[in-house]
Amino acid sequence: MYTSFTGTARRPRKVDLSGRNAKLSSPASPGVRQPPSSQTSSKTLANAQAERLLRQQERLRPPAATAIQRSWRGHKARQETRNAWRQEWDRREADASISHYGNTETSAHRDGDAQFQEAKTNKDPDRDDMSVGQYQEAETSPYRDEEHCLRQLRLLVQFASSRNSQDVHRLCQFAQRFLYSRQVLAPTSIWTYPLLRLSKLITAALKHQEVTELPGQSRNVLLQLLSGVAETIPKQLAPYSTQYFDALAETLLTSKSQTSLDTNAQQLFEAALLGLLQPDNPGSIAVYEGFTTSFLRIPDIPSLLGNLETLAKGIHFAPLCAAMNNLLSTSQGDNLLQLRSRDEMLWLLAYFIFFRHSSATEKKTPSDGTSNALFVDVISKLVSYLADEIGSRVDSSVILVPPPDTVSTAPQMPATPLPDFVRREILTLASQENVSRLLTSVNIKADNNNSMSDPSEANNHQASTLAIYALTLLRAFPRRGDEIRMWLYLGSTNELHHGRDQKEAPLPAIKYYFRAASQTKVYHMIKSDPRKAIDLLNPDAARRQPCTSTTPSIHEQWQIILIFLELYPIVLKVMDDEEFLTGASSISDSQSWTRQSALTLTSVKDLTIFLKNLAFAMYWNASEIAGTEEIESTESIAGYFRGTSTATAATLRDDKPIKPGDVHVAGIPGMTVDYLKRMVTGLLRMIYERDSRRRFLSNDHWLMTQWFEMDRFIPAVVQEEEEKHKIQESYGEDPDDEQTDEEERHDYLIGTQRTQQVRNIERLKRQQKKASRKRYLESVTPRLEILQNMPFFIPFGTRVQIFRHFVQLDQLRRRGTADADMWRFAMMNSGRGEMGKHRARVHRESIFDDAYDQYYDLGEGLKEPIQISFVDKFDTVEEGIDGGGVTKEFLTSVTNEAFSSRNGLDLFIENDQHLLYPNPMALDERKELLSQAEIVQDSVEWNDNMRDLLRRFEFMGRIIGKCLYEGILVDVHFAGFFLLKWALTGGSGSASKESGYRANLNDLRDLDEGLYQGILQLKNYPGNVEDFSLNFEVTDTLFYREPQTYDQSLQKPVTRELRPGGSQIPVTNENRLVYISYIARHRLQVQPFPQTSAFLKGLGTIISPSWLSMFNQNELQTLVGGDSSEIDIADLRQNTQYGGLYQIGDDGQEHPSVQLFWQAMQSFADEDRRKVLKFVTSTPRAPLLGFSMLNPRFSIRDSGNDQTRLPTTSTCVNLLKLPVYNDGKTLRDRLLYSINAGAGFNLS
């Protein structure tokens, strides 16, 4: 039949000669023929098609009716047949009962169904089960023989329906008689199919027990029969295990909702479960898969069954582990994760861990390690999927505040706590015992030479498996991260220790993972060329290379590398320089574990090359890496790193270009390039800091200049700095954003839930805006990113020039000119009175206090030129014009006074090497003084005093910043660990947190040599450290002076816990390294935090922290105090200015006395040269880029012809007043006398 109408609807043409418009005339009469139109044609076609459809339906109606009638007749015939079978089955049962009791049919057998229905209708909730049970017991009799039983079984499974309550009663009756007949029955293969159908019927009846209102006693009978059938034909039931366990799950939940299960019922459920879970079942893997997907999804099985121990004893962990691995390794695993709720998956994880522990207790785990590997794999996948839930709910009472450099969309309120059973089992994953026990099951051994030979393929895959597990634990338990890393570091080798004279020795975990990582293809490719890292970070690369039995995939190789990068920083924190530099080439029991874990210096050098290339690629090619991956599903644990909630993130995410933080390393879920960048940056800087402290690599080892155009590098960096400033202005950067976020993290309990939600939304907007700006800067300012995070890639001299360019750029932006005099002139003529804020009268007896009082409120305005008037003790203003010299004298005088003891309260104190750092007890000392003065704590006066102290630290930071800003050198020397905090506060981009300061054992030496030696003794103590009776607490000694006189020094001990409950936690051999790390963190970070933060805040007000991050601790000291290298007399002579009689004339020749001066300087040792330099400029060190950068310039002028007169100086203008000496000996003697006398103006 054609699909369209084939006729024509076109009407004959009608010619109208009247000239009237047919459309405007009245409607035609019915008999008048209308002109054709497209609408009329379509309507006609539709009518024709509708008529054709009706005709087709008419033709099909008789066959349909016939089919319905045929189906009905078949259904009716089947019903009649089943009813006939039911009658036959009932008759046989009645005959059997008459034969058994020897009398006429009982009333119960005459109408068993009616009796059953009556029992249901008149049931008493308290007596229903017992009455029906008594009824069934009264009529129950065993089958006389096996043939009779089998015949009844075959007939029953033919007609019985699980939804028919009468059939369910018959099933229960058969079950009762079958159980009584087990002694005479010996089922053979002929029973297999009927029993299989019987088991299906029972499971269906149990599943529909709410429909059939199955009594509890009948349910127990069916459970007992089902367990017997499962034990008889386990192989045949294996394919139907899902339906089997699903029915048991539904029955258990339904029974629990109706009434509490008694002990007998619980035992029957356990028997039914274990009946199919037999280890010798050929289909045991399939059975355990069904058990996992259908039964272990039930919440709180221990309360339903009374306990889980009995079930756990009957479960064999090896097939369960294999089944779980199969489910999670196939597409079915994706369905399992997607279709199950998070709560169900948490319970599944808890059950799996519990069965593992029970298996280990019963010693049913295979000793070949196969089960361990599968367990690790399964746990890794489950915990990875549930990382968000675990991280937020395992410690629900603690608010997990995300790092300030991450975007968090999760509400910062306590999450719903995990059930006790789930929490208890999950926490065992992060316990020292289980982490160590799992990883020590791997056979990690090395020969006496500790050779880094190629590990076997099995070890490569084994290392990858352990790496997956370790990384998963670190992601799921971020608050226990350091402890887990420490346990992995300490306990991931065999517990057997062998001496030097034996063949085997334990290989430390760090060396094991480094050996595995250094043998990977990824490691060697990146080490050879940083550009190859771009493709290796691409997840498509991991998918293109399949994993074989001999070659680990790129995915696995990255996991091995990543766990090494996680663990090695822990080693560096607790390893002193001597142990690090030793790089033990052999292992013995006499060595400490940290010394055994030290890599050889050759290995460290290779590692730094790999890290340098990887870091360079991630910073320099950030935009290229960001374009290699599409946005992945928000279901991965990547959201955990960003602190995001999946649902909220989905609503906030819009279609924007991919960012580096969204790219996953080789497709590893949750491992973003951002996180890898932070790890690599932190580790590389830790090694670089150690090399800066104790040089073990060549000077040019850290440089990456071959990858830059160095002749254009400085202009390019300056241009990027300008671009960065424009971007920050366009984003409307608010400097108080971080402070506001910090405050809001601590007041989440204030206000209603609505208020909290609004506050969270506002905070999220700020964080997203900040993150967007930061990531955009990464792509448009790669040179700045490298300078701020990996400054050692660029030579020091180049970085100093960039620093001065940044200062000049800032001066031009603020003042419009870099010349201070021109700015002063402009301000004096502007009429705005701006100059008045920069003028100050300073008494020489109280320089710091006067400067603090008059300049603190100036804030960032201290960057501008200041006008100082010195006032003597008679309150007389010293006359003078400030051409830069007075400012220099003011700054040097303020620093000399500020960094010395004042009024009995030391703001800065010295270490044994006379290096300065903030007094860690300053706040405690001030509190004690206020308490002695009987000032109420937290009162207005108390808070004002404490605030004033911190402001003084802040002002001291501004003064040092002013010196750096103006290029004025001051003779102040800071401790290395304190300078490190300067260098590590300006890391930007992705690595801002990881490039921050990390307390370590070696920095304790700069703080307190005695404490450092005591910690070394504790770390290397060969015996039991519990002999020292130490706990996780620390006692500080508070020194303060008598409030009225400040003469008598008083002491007071102050005890603090290093961790919650630390006073009750003893220090043992197992946790002593954790104790050491806590001590280092307390002394170097926690205790001096307020003082250090205030100082760095002031310093950052004048000098951008990102500028300071371009230098290490030694380079920063050089910026502050000058170059410590030998004084270059030729450079000093070339950049010296002369005045008065010594001014060079037209002949270009120096005055003879000046020539004698330079001859004397050439003859001096470097120590005396430095004394001359300090005598004139107040600092013994040369400027960083030579004496051309000295401000003001080094100057010499005459001061008379008296041969007995001594040289004098004006340090404010770097001026040497040199008398006109006639011979070199006199000049030399007089100059040496002056510089060693330590006087200046008053020496004559």
Side-chain angles (χ1 to χ4, degrees):
M1 181 178 294
Y2 293 98
T3 58
S4 62
F5 182 71
T6 57
T8 178
R10 185 173 182 178
R11 300 183 182 277
R13 182 180 181 186
K14 180 179 180 181
V15 180
D16 185 5
L17 299 178
S18 66
R20 293 182 299 174
N21 190 344
K23 295 183 179 180
L24 298 178
S25 60
S26 59
S29 59
V32 179
R33 188 176 183 180
Q34 298 295 329
S37 64
S38 59
Q39 182 178 3
T40 305
S41 301
S42 301
K43 184 176 181 181
T44 304
L45 179 61
N47 291 337
Q49 291 176 343
E51 292 174 358
R52 184 183 62 188
L53 181 61
L54 289 174
R55 291 193 298 271
Q56 180 70 12
Q57 292 176 351
E58 289 294 333
R59 286 193 298 270
L60 296 177
R61 185 172 288 110
T66 302
I68 293 174
Q69 293 171 2
R70 183 169 59 249
S71 299
W72 169 250
R73 287 193 299 269
H75 171 71
K76 185 177 181 180
R78 287 192 296 272
Q79 286 294 98
E80 292 174 352
T81 303
R82 289 196 179 96
N83 288 335
W85 287 342
R86 288 186 177 97
Q87 294 176 6
E88 176 64 19
W89 194 89
D90 290 342
R91 185 187 62 78
R92 293 178 182 177
E93 289 294 308
D95 292 344
S97 179
I98 293 174
S99 174
H100 177 74
Y101 290 103
N103 56 11
T104 59
E105 186 177 0
T106 63
S107 60
H109 287 89
R110 283 196 302 268
D111 195 0
D113 292 337
Q115 181 75 11
F116 182 70
Q117 291 297 330
E118 182 181 357
K120 290 196 302 178
T121 303
N122 302 321
K123 62 182 178 180
D124 181 357
D126 297 330
R127 300 182 55 85
D128 176 66
D129 289 357
M130 182 60 68
S131 62
V132 175
Q134 291 173 347
Y135 155 72
Q136 291 181 342
E137 185 177 356
E139 66 174 6
T140 300
S141 61
Y143 288 105
R144 61 178 180 267
D145 55 32
E146 182 177 336
E147 180 181 357
H148 183 211
C149 181
L150 180 59
R151 185 166 61 249
Q152 286 294 87
L153 172 59
R154 286 174 172 172
L155 187 58
L156 177 65
V157 297
Q158 290 293 332
F159 67 81
S161 171
S162 61
R163 295 182 178 273
N164 188 312
S165 58
Q166 298 177 4
D167 287 347
V168 173
H169 165 64
R170 294 183 178 94
L171 177 61
C172 294
Q173 182 178 339
F174 173 81
Q176 193 80 340
R177 296 191 64 187
F178 183 89
L179 293 174
Y180 279 138
S181 307
R182 283 184 298 182
Q183 297 179 356
V184 299
L185 299 179
T188 58
S189 58
I190 196 173
W191 286 76
T192 301
Y193 183 69
L195 288 177
L196 179 60
R197 293 194 61 180
L198 176 64
S199 65
K200 294 181 181 179
L201 181 60
I202 295 175
T203 55
L206 291 173
K207 198 168 185 179
H208 300 144
Q209 63 174 314
E210 289 185 339
V211 177
T212 59
E213 299 184 16
L214 185 67
Q217 186 67 22
S218 301
R219 176 206 61 212
N220 293 347
V221 172
L222 293 182
L223 286 174
Q224 189 175 0
L225 177 59
L226 184 62
S227 61
V229 173
E231 294 175 357
T232 305
I233 55 169
K235 179 179 179 181
Q236 287 73 22
L237 268 179
Y240 308 97
S241 58
T242 300
Q243 297 87 332
Y244 181 92
F245 291 111
D246 188 57
L248 291 178
E250 294 293 336
T251 306
L252 185 60
L253 292 174
T254 303
S255 302
K256 184 66 175 179
S257 63
Q258 294 176 349
T259 182
S260 300
L261 295 177
D262 56 19
T263 304
N264 181 46
Q266 293 172 348
Q267 293 175 353
L268 289 174
F269 270 106
E270 292 171 350
L273 290 168
L274 297 176
L276 199 57
L277 299 174
Q278 302 178 22
D280 54 352
N281 185 355
S284 60
I285 301 299
V287 171
Y288 276 92
E289 288 181 4
F291 176 67
T292 299
T293 58
S294 298
F295 191 80
L296 292 185
R297 63 181 175 83
I298 301 177
D300 203 9
I301 294 178
S303 66
L304 296 176
L305 296 180
N307 63 76
L308 207 57
E309 284 76 9
T310 304
L311 184 62
K313 292 179 180 179
I315 289 178
H316 293 264
F317 187 73
L320 174 63
C321 200
M324 291 278 288
N325 187 64
N326 290 345
L327 288 173
L328 297 173
S329 301
T330 61
S331 59
Q332 186 179 356
D334 296 334
N335 297 333
L336 176 66
L337 296 178
Q338 297 296 331
L339 298 179
R340 298 291 184 228
S341 68
R342 294 297 179 104
D343 285 338
E344 288 181 344
M345 297 305 296
L346 285 169
W347 279 104
L348 174 60
L349 174 62
Y351 297 146
F352 185 66
I353 298 171
F354 182 84
F355 293 146
R356 160 71 180 186
H357 295 162
S358 299
S359 175
T361 303
E362 298 293 328
K363 301 186 181 302
K364 293 184 293 186
T365 304
S367 59
D368 59 359
T370 303
S371 182
N372 288 337
L374 291 178
F375 174 77
V376 168
D377 200 13
V378 171
I379 288 293
S380 300
K381 293 172 182 175
L382 286 176
V383 175
S384 177
Y385 175 73
L386 298 169
D388 291 340
E389 295 289 324
I390 295 174
S392 61
R393 297 175 61 185
V394 73
D395 291 318
S396 59
S397 61
V398 181
I399 306 304
L400 299 180
V401 179
D405 60 336
T406 60
V407 178
S408 173
T409 58
Q412 301 303 309
M413 292 182 292
T416 303
L418 292 173
D420 292 339
F421 178 84
V422 176
R423 183 178 184 274
R424 183 174 64 253
E425 294 302 321
I426 289 179
L427 283 180
T428 60
L429 295 176
S431 66
Q432 181 177 4
E433 177 184 1
N434 283 281
V435 171
S436 302
R437 183 179 66 180
L438 175 74
L439 299 183
T440 51
S441 63
V442 180
N443 205 17
I444 304 175
K445 296 183 180 180
D447 57 22
N448 283 342
N449 296 326
N450 192 23
S451 61
M452 295 292 178
S453 57
D454 294 349
S456 65
E457 293 79 8
N459 284 341
N460 273 332
H461 288 287
Q462 199 171 53
S464 175
T465 301
L466 295 177
I468 297 170
Y469 178 79
L471 290 173
T472 303
L473 290 183
L474 292 174
R475 304 301 171 263
F477 302 98
R479 294 180 61 83
R480 295 171 172 80
D482 287 343
E483 292 179 336
I484 293 174
R485 292 181 182 95
M486 186 65 70
W487 295 332
L488 289 169
Y489 156 61
L490 292 174
S492 56
T493 62
N494 277 325
E495 296 180 359
L496 297 177
H497 292 267
H498 303 280
R500 273 182 198 268
D501 54 343
Q502 298 186 23
K503 296 181 179 180
E504 295 181 347
L507 182 64
I510 289 301
K511 291 191 174 182
Y512 170 74
Y513 280 115
F514 176 74
R515 184 182 66 178
S518 62
Q519 296 297 332
T520 61
K521 182 180 179 181
V522 170
Y523 182 91
H524 285 283
M525 291 178 66
I526 296 178
K527 180 184 172 184
S528 62
D529 188 352
R531 292 170 294 189
K532 295 181 179 179
I534 301 173
D535 292 331
L536 292 173
L537 290 170
N538 186 354
D540 292 335
R543 290 190 284 265
R544 286 194 297 266
Q545 181 190 0
C547 177
T548 65
S549 59
T550 57
T551 304
S553 66
I554 292 179
H555 185 95
E556 291 179 329
Q557 295 176 44
W558 270 115
Q559 287 166 336
I560 298 173
I561 294 172
L562 290 172
I563 189 58
F564 172 77
L565 298 181
E566 289 277 10
L567 297 184
Y568 196 50
I570 292 292
V571 182
L572 295 180
K573 284 183 179 181
V574 298
M575 183 180 294
D576 60 79
D577 287 338
E578 284 70 21
E579 291 174 333
F580 179 85
L581 296 175
T582 299
S585 58
S586 60
I587 299 175
S588 68
D589 287 342
S590 60
Q591 298 172 341
S592 67
W593 190 247
T594 51
R595 184 178 294 273
Q596 294 181 40
S597 301
L599 300 179
T600 63
L601 294 183
T602 302
S603 298
V604 174
K605 181 179 180 180
D606 292 341
L607 174 63
T608 56
I609 296 174
F610 166 77
L611 294 174
K612 282 196 314 175
N613 290 348
L614 179 57
F616 175 80
M618 288 190 291
Y619 282 106
W620 186 251
N621 305 102
S623 58
E624 188 174 355
I625 293 174
T628 59
E629 183 190 24
E630 298 179 357
I631 294 181
E632 297 202 0
S633 169
T634 57
E635 289 296 325
S636 69
I637 69 169
Y640 176 78
F641 290 103
R642 297 187 295 271
T644 61
S645 170
T646 300
T648 312
T651 60
L652 295 178
R653 188 182 66 241
D654 47 12
D655 295 331
K656 295 181 179 180
I658 311 300
K659 305 179 184 70
D662 296 324
V663 182
H664 292 75
V665 178
I668 301 174
M671 183 56 64
T672 62
V673 173
D674 254 4
Y675 185 78
L676 176 62
K677 186 185 294 185
R678 293 198 297 267
M679 279 202 303
V680 173
T681 302
L683 178 56
L684 197 55
R685 293 197 72 146
M686 290 180 75
I687 301 176
Y688 174 70
E689 292 160 16
R690 195 176 290 265
D691 185 54
S692 302
R693 187 170 55 245
R694 298 279 296 271
R695 181 70 64 180
F696 59 90
L697 294 171
S698 61
N699 292 330
D700 59 348
H701 173 80
W702 296 99
L703 299 179
M704 296 283 286
T705 52
Q706 69 272 23
W707 300 100
F708 302 101
E709 296 182 27
M710 294 306 297
D711 55 337
R712 301 174 54 188
F713 187 80
I714 295 179
V717 170
V718 174
Q719 184 178 356
E720 288 184 4
E721 176 69 12
E722 292 179 331
E723 181 68 19
K724 173 185 175 182
H725 183 74
K726 293 178 181 178
I727 293 172
Q728 291 175 340
E729 288 183 339
S730 65
Y731 273 92
E733 183 178 18
D734 185 0
D736 296 329
D737 276 353
E738 293 186 5
Q739 181 179 359
T740 304
D741 290 342
E742 184 66 26
E743 292 174 354
E744 290 190 357
R745 291 187 189 105
H746 298 289
D747 61 1
Y748 59 88
L749 295 177
I750 300 176
T752 63
Q753 183 176 3
R754 176 65 178 172
T755 305
Q756 295 171 13
Q757 291 176 351
V758 172
R759 185 182 295 122
N760 283 331
I761 291 174
E762 293 298 326
R763 179 178 53 81
L764 293 176
K765 289 180 179 179
R766 289 195 302 272
Q767 289 184 340
Q768 287 180 325
K769 183 177 180 180
K770 181 179 178 182
S772 176
R773 176 177 65 248
K774 185 182 297 183
R775 287 173 171 170
Y776 179 67
L777 287 173
E778 290 178 16
S779 60
V780 299
T781 58
R783 295 174 183 84
L784 275 179
E785 288 293 311
I786 289 176
L787 277 174
Q788 294 167 7
N789 294 284
M790 299 292 173
F792 38 83
F793 287 178
I794 307 300
F796 174 62
T798 304
R799 284 180 277 134
V800 174
Q801 295 181 52
I802 293 172
F803 175 77
R804 298 314 312 173
H805 275 88
F806 284 172
V807 171
Q808 293 177 6
L809 186 65
D810 187 65
Q811 291 174 343
L812 290 173
R813 189 182 300 120
R814 294 178 58 86
R815 310 174 185 173
T817 177
D819 187 273
D821 293 332
M822 292 184 64
W823 181 83
R824 290 192 184 97
F825 181 78
M827 289 296 102
M828 292 173 62
N829 295 326
S830 66
R832 294 180 297 177
E834 294 290 334
M835 232 4 248
K837 299 179 182 179
H838 296 78
R839 288 195 177 99
R841 290 166 53 92
V842 179
H843 294 79
R844 290 192 177 274
E845 291 78 14
S846 56
I847 290 180
F848 179 79
D849 287 334
D850 289 352
Y852 170 73
D853 293 337
Q854 299 181 60
Y855 278 144
Y856 177 81
D857 292 334
L858 197 59
E860 193 178 10
L862 193 62
K863 288 183 177 181
E864 319 305 349
I866 55 178
Q867 197 76 25
I868 303 297
S869 297
F870 282 105
V871 180
D872 61 18
K873 61 182 178 180
F874 301 107
D875 204 27
T876 302
V877 177
E878 299 179 5
E879 298 296 336
I881 300 176
D882 189 359
V886 178
T887 299
K888 176 178 179 290
E889 183 178 358
F890 165 74
L891 293 175
T892 54
S893 300
V894 169
T895 55
N896 288 337
E897 182 177 341
F899 295 100
S900 61
S901 177
R902 302 180 57 257
N903 296 329
L905 183 63
D906 300 332
L907 298 183
F908 274 70
I909 57 178
E910 293 182 346
N911 62 8
D912 295 337
Q913 292 78 36
H914 305 289
L915 302 177
L916 295 168
Y917 61 91
N919 181 5
M921 299 297 294
L923 264 67
D924 294 303
E925 292 172 359
R926 175 62 65 91
K927 290 177 181 178
E928 184 63 28
L929 288 175
L930 295 177
S931 298
Q932 294 289 336
E934 299 182 352
I935 298 176
V936 179
Q937 187 173 356
D938 294 331
S939 63
V940 175
E941 185 178 2
W942 177 287
N943 292 334
D944 287 343
N945 269 274
M946 300 305 299
R947 193 178 297 113
D948 176 77
L949 177 62
L950 292 178
R951 284 177 176 175
R952 289 178 181 272
F953 278 105
E954 182 182 352
F955 185 70
M956 294 170 75
R958 292 182 192 173
I959 292 297
I960 294 298
K962 177 69 172 177
C963 294
L964 292 171
Y965 196 80
E966 300 294 342
I968 296 175
L969 303 179
V970 291
D971 191 17
V972 179
H973 305 278
F974 295 104
F977 75 89
F978 180 55
L979 289 167
L980 268 178
K981 297 178 182 181
W982 301 17
L984 298 177
T985 56
S988 66
S990 299
S992 59
K993 181 182 178 183
E994 292 301 317
S995 60
Y997 175 73
R998 295 180 174 185
N1000 62 80
L1001 176 61
N1002 296 279
D1003 286 343
L1004 285 177
R1005 169 171 278 181
D1006 286 341
L1007 179 72
D1008 188 338
E1009 180 69 25
L1011 175 63
Y1012 172 76
Q1013 295 298 333
I1015 290 295
L1016 283 185
Q1017 181 183 0
L1018 174 67
K1019 183 168 72 75
N1020 301 322
Y1021 186 64
N1024 187 355
V1025 298
E1026 295 186 46
D1027 297 340
F1028 295 107
S1029 301
L1030 296 174
N1031 294 326
F1032 274 77
E1033 59 182 4
V1034 61
T1035 300
D1036 301 314
T1037 302
L1038 178 63
F1039 294 94
Y1040 63 99
R1041 300 181 185 275
E1042 201 278 327
Q1044 283 75 26
T1045 63
Y1046 290 102
D1047 294 332
Q1048 184 179 3
S1049 179
L1050 305 176
Q1051 298 182 13
K1052 179 181 179 180
V1054 179
T1055 302
R1056 299 180 175 91
E1057 290 186 338
L1058 297 174
R1059 56 183 298 182
S1063 60
Q1064 305 300 322
I1065 304 175
V1067 178
T1068 64
N1069 288 351
E1070 289 73 23
N1071 63 16
R1072 57 178 162 183
L1073 292 182
V1074 178
Y1075 171 78
I1076 291 173
S1077 65
Y1078 275 114
I1079 284 288
R1081 186 174 63 179
H1082 172 77
R1083 294 294 191 190
L1084 297 169
Q1085 283 184 275
V1086 177
Q1087 191 178 20
F1089 178 78
Q1091 304 90 303
T1092 303
S1093 298
F1095 180 90
L1096 294 180
K1097 179 182 179 182
L1099 179 62
T1101 303
I1102 309 300
I1103 301 296
S1104 172
S1106 61
W1107 302 351
L1108 295 175
S1109 66
M1110 295 190 300
F1111 307 98
N1112 65 20
Q1113 67 270 35
N1114 297 328
E1115 294 166 347
L1116 282 172
Q1117 182 59 58
T1118 304
L1119 278 177
V1120 173
D1123 192 358
S1124 59
S1125 60
E1126 186 175 346
I1127 302 298
D1128 187 351
I1129 298 300
D1131 182 45
L1132 177 61
R1133 188 173 187 176
Q1134 184 179 357
N1135 293 281
T1136 298
Q1137 295 179 344
Y1138 302 97
L1141 184 63
Y1142 293 153
Q1143 189 169 1
I1144 297 178
D1146 296 336
D1147 58 356
Q1149 298 296 319
E1150 295 174 341
H1151 190 276
S1153 295
V1154 172
Q1155 295 179 9
L1156 293 176
F1157 170 78
W1158 291 119
Q1159 291 174 8
M1161 288 291 291
Q1162 289 285 359
S1163 66
F1164 285 164
D1166 187 65
E1167 181 181 359
D1168 290 332
R1169 294 178 183 178
R1170 291 185 181 279
K1171 290 180 180 180
V1172 172
L1173 191 62
K1174 183 174 183 179
F1175 180 62
V1176 178
T1177 67
S1178 73
T1179 180
R1181 298 186 178 187
L1184 304 178
L1185 301 180
F1187 286 98
S1188 62
M1189 303 301 297
L1190 186 63
N1191 182 29
R1193 290 288 186 93
F1194 190 91
S1195 303
I1196 304 177
R1197 64 164 297 167
D1198 65 295
S1199 61
N1201 295 321
D1202 188 354
Q1203 299 297 303
T1204 61
R1205 185 181 179 89
L1206 296 173
T1208 58
T1209 62
S1210 294
T1211 56
C1212 59
V1213 291
N1214 297 333
L1215 173 63
L1216 173 63
K1217 301 173 183 179
L1218 184 69
V1220 182
Y1221 294 111
N1222 297 327
D1223 60 274
K1225 184 177 184 304
T1226 302
L1227 185 149
R1228 178 187 174 89
D1229 293 342
R1230 296 290 188 271
L1231 184 59
L1232 285 175
Y1233 185 87
S1234 296
I1235 62 178
N1236 289 312
F1241 287 105
N1242 63 335
L1243 203 62
S1244 62

